[in-house]
Amino acid sequence: MATHAWDPYNRDCPTRRLLDRIGDTWTLLVVGALSDGPLRFGELNRRIDGISQKMLTQTLRALERDGLVKRTQYPEIPPRVEYELTPEGHSLREPLDVLKEWANAHMSSIIAARELYDAPA
């Protein structure tokens, strides 16, 4: 297998699209919601406040396409579909948890900076 020199600073590099996906708010929340185990679509939709069904569908499809989420459809009536993280998806948990921890640790100073910036001169 050939070794690639991936460069996200190159606009044509596929890593840029992957970083866009991973950096997306909905991706972060879907991966976080699935980190405890498989969930059905409705459960995910209820767990992630503010996500539309359309955006959840698009996010799940994109994550499935990237091999980060596995979709399992069970042959039942009514049909039951569950989503779960693949091993690759689970490997995202640690860096995403670090980002969430960073956001929580710095949110007060970020809010203060925004208020200062937005204040009339």
Side-chain angles (χ1 to χ4, degrees), residues 14-24 27 31 58-70 86-89 91-92:
T15 57
R16 185 180 286 193
R17 288 182 295 284
L18 180 59
L19 289 172
D20 284 343
R21 167 98 51 249
I22 293 167
D24 178 71
T27 294
V31 170
Q58 289 175 353
T59 302
L60 287 167
R61 285 183 182 159
L63 291 171
E64 185 180 6
R65 181 175 184 254
D66 288 342
L68 302 172
V69 166
K70 177 184 172 192
T86 64
E88 292 283 334
S91 73
L92 262 180

Side-chain angles (χ1 to χ4, degrees), residues 7-8 11 17 27 35 38 43 45-46 52 60 64 67 78 81 90 106 113 116-117:
D7 180 9
R11 75 175 130 196
R17 288 182 295 284
T27 294
S35 66
E43 294 170 320
N45 198 22
R46 285 187 294 279
S52 68
L60 287 167
E64 185 180 6
V81 176
H90 277 287
H106 294 88
L116 184 62
Y117 183 89

Side-chain angles (χ1 to χ4, degrees), residues 58-100:
Q58 289 175 353
T59 302
L60 287 167
R61 285 183 182 159
L63 291 171
E64 185 180 6
R65 181 175 184 254
D66 288 342
L68 302 172
V69 166
K70 177 184 172 192
R71 179 183 187 271
T72 303
Q73 183 170 348
Y74 296 93
E76 301 173 356
I77 307 277
R80 180 170 58 104
V81 176
E82 288 184 341
Y83 298 89
E84 63 184 312
L85 295 177
T86 64
E88 292 283 334
H90 277 287
S91 73
L92 262 180
R93 289 177 58 193
E94 184 178 345
L96 293 181
D97 285 346
V98 169
L99 283 173
K100 285 191 285 187

Side-chain angles (χ1 to χ4, degrees), residues 44-58:
L44 274 168
N45 198 22
R46 285 187 294 279
R47 182 133 185 227
I48 304 171
D49 187 33
I51 192 169
S52 68
Q53 289 187 355
K54 178 182 176 182
M55 187 52 65
L56 180 56
T57 298
Q58 289 175 353

